[in-house]
């Protein structure tokens, strides 16, 4: 094998000893052995707050002999904020508004009654708070048939997304896809709930089914992965 090439699937070896955070133009940089960390597109890894830089640095410091890039969720989100979001703000905001157009929290079960009661008890306070704080209206639906949301609501959600900086927008977009809900993503960003609570709200139906039928290994692994991402996202928003 030629020098410098890795076998397929081989993880890159850790090539640094020390990880640090220091002031930089525009914020705080993450440094590996006194060299600035860069994104995949070679931009400097400069974060707007020290707390956010430390969140990324923590992931790099935690690596062992090999670098587990797939598990470095804050680093990946920072790469997105720096490399992708600036040129795609409009499209990203559109995607968030599209999720709001079929937001998970607006679709209540028709039966069984116990699941519907649980959804109403847990989802309705979040929807009502969103309607009050966002100054919008959400139409509730029964079952899975699509229910259109008011154009004014979608326009307001898009405007809220565009009002965020690149790091906030990246976080809300990530959370919207993770939870299937723009309402939960914005709620987490505003501190209405923890990351764990947001994920559990998004999984009410799954949790109900698991209580009835049990949990298989694949579903448990997926939930555990999403739980780590949700907890990271809570820290991300707090650090901004």
């Amino acid at each position: 094998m030629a020098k410098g090439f890795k076998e397929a699937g081989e993880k890159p070896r850790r090539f640094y000893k020390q990880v640090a955070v220091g002031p930089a133009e525009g914020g705080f940089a993450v440094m590996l052995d006194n060299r600035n960390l860069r994104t995949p597109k070679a931009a400097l890894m400069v974060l707007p707050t020290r707390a956010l830089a430390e969140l990324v640095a923590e992931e790099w410091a935690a690596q062992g002999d090999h670098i587990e890039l797939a598990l470095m969720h804050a680093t990946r989100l920072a790469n997105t904020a720096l490399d992708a979001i600036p040129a795609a703000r409009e499209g990203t905001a559109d995607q968030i508004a599209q999720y709001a157009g079929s937001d998970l929290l607006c679709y209540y079960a028709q039966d069984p009654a116990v699941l519907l009661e649980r959804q109403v008890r847990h989802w309705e306070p979040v929807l009502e708070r969103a309607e009050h704080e966002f100054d919008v209206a959400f139409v509730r639906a029964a079952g899975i048939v699509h229910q259109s949301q008011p154009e004014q609501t979608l326009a307001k959600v898009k405007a809220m997304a565009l009002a965020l900086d690149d790091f906030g927008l990246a976080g809300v977009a990530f959370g919207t896809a993770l939870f299937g809900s723009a309402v939960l993503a914005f709620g987490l960003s505003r501190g209405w709930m923890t990351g764990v609570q947001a994920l559990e709200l998004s999984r009410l139906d799954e949790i109900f089914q698991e209580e009835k039928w049990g949990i298989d290994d694949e579903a448990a692994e997926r939930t555990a992965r999403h739980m780590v991402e949700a907890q990271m996202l809570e820290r991300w928003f707090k650090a901004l």
Side-chain angles (χ1 to χ4, degrees):
M1 183 183 299
K3 185 177 180 180
F5 286 83
K6 298 189 292 291
E7 294 181 357
E10 184 180 347
K11 298 180 180 68
R13 292 188 63 84
R14 178 167 174 158
F15 54 88
Y16 55 91
K17 293 182 179 180
Q18 301 295 324
V19 182
V21 169
E25 183 177 354
F28 296 86
V30 179
M31 293 170 288
L32 308 179
D33 292 340
N34 296 317
R35 293 186 178 182
N36 289 321
L37 178 63
R38 291 181 178 271
T39 69
K41 291 188 176 180
L44 291 175
M45 179 65 75
V46 176
L47 292 307
T49 68
R50 178 178 287 277
L52 203 60
E54 288 174 346
L55 180 59
V56 172
E58 180 182 305
E59 291 186 337
W60 287 88
Q63 299 305 300
D65 292 337
H66 292 84
I67 298 173
E68 299 276 358
L69 293 170
L71 302 181
M72 300 172 73
H73 305 299
T75 299
R76 288 164 46 217
L77 192 52
N79 287 336
T80 298
L82 290 164
D83 282 349
I85 293 295
R89 289 183 56 84
E90 189 80 15
T92 303
D94 276 331
Q95 290 177 353
I96 293 170
Q98 287 171 15
Y99 266 97
S102 56
D103 201 281
L104 172 71
L105 267 59
C106 293
Y107 288 81
Y108 290 88
Q110 293 176 295
D111 57 75
V114 65
L115 174 58
L116 174 58
E117 185 279 329
R118 186 181 299 187
Q119 290 173 333
V120 171
R121 176 158 41 91
H122 291 287
W123 287 354
E124 197 61 27
V126 180
L127 281 173
E128 289 178 354
R129 184 170 184 177
E131 289 178 321
H132 175 71
E133 292 197 15
F134 303 167
D135 191 24
V136 298
F138 284 103
V139 179
R140 280 67 159 170
I144 60 174
V145 177
H146 177 69
Q147 171 65 60
S148 297
Q149 296 294 335
E151 287 298 323
Q152 300 96 315
T153 295
L154 303 187
K156 184 62 177 292
V157 170
K158 179 177 178 179
M160 289 167 51
L162 286 173
L164 299 168
D165 65 18
D166 292 342
F167 295 89
L169 182 56
V172 168
F174 181 85
T176 297
L178 177 62
F179 305 131
S181 168
V183 172
L184 287 176
F186 275 110
L188 179 57
S189 75
R190 295 180 176 214
W192 297 357
M193 64 201 74
T194 67
V196 171
Q197 289 169 336
L199 186 64
E200 289 178 344
L201 286 170
S202 76
R203 296 187 63 251
L204 281 187
D205 182 67
E206 290 179 42
I207 292 170
F208 179 81
Q209 298 300 327
E210 289 170 353
E211 292 170 353
K212 186 175 182 179
W213 305 107
I215 307 173
D216 63 51
D217 292 341
E218 183 177 342
E221 182 179 340
R222 181 178 64 253
T223 299
R225 183 174 65 253
H226 290 171
M227 190 66 72
V228 171
E229 293 174 337
Q231 290 173 313
M232 179 280 296
L233 190 57
E234 177 188 351
R235 294 183 63 193
W236 177 275
F237 287 131
K238 286 181 177 179
L240 279 176

